[in-house]
Amino acid sequence: MLHLAMARGAAQDGMALLDLGRGRKEYKDSLKTRELTVSEGWVTRRHPVALGHRMRRAPARALRNTVQGRPELFGPADALLKRVGRLRTGG
């Protein structure tokens, strides 16, 4: 209900596009009128700081993309992250 109210309010304020972010979710499919393909990435110069950034970010990004792209992995990974979140917050 919140997402629907947000979309209606955005349309009333003249917004023509509402970006719901990456990943497939049922609520996104129910709100969308179309899909736009967007690419992501980064460009760096050859520099030790850039290499460090890439070494730190690339494995996590590749794993996230793999899990989000495979429905058989997404469900268990989502459940695990929710369980860890509850443990962290004491809920």
Side-chain angles (χ1 to χ4, degrees):
M1 296 301 288
L2 175 63
H3 289 102
L4 183 57
M6 179 181 65
R8 283 185 179 146
Q12 289 172 353
D13 287 345
M15 292 183 72
L17 178 68
L18 181 62
D19 184 351
L20 297 174
R22 65 191 314 232
R24 298 190 62 82
K25 294 283 187 175
E26 188 175 326
Y27 76 91
K28 293 178 184 182
D29 288 337
S30 69
L31 290 173
K32 73 181 177 186
T33 55
R34 65 179 178 199
E35 287 187 25
L36 299 174
T37 301
V38 178
S39 296
E40 69 175 310
W42 63 79
V43 177
T44 60
R45 297 185 323 188
R46 291 181 179 246
H47 191 274
V49 173
L51 178 62
H53 176 78
R54 179 170 283 197
M55 288 176 61
R56 184 173 62 90
R57 298 287 307 261
R61 184 176 300 254
L63 180 60
R64 183 182 71 216
N65 289 342
T66 299
V67 169
Q68 287 184 335
R70 301 191 57 191
E72 68 274 14
L73 297 177
F74 184 82
D78 190 46
L80 176 63
L81 289 174
K82 287 177 181 174
R83 189 176 317 133
V84 169
R86 284 192 300 274
L87 289 172
R88 288 181 65 197
T89 60

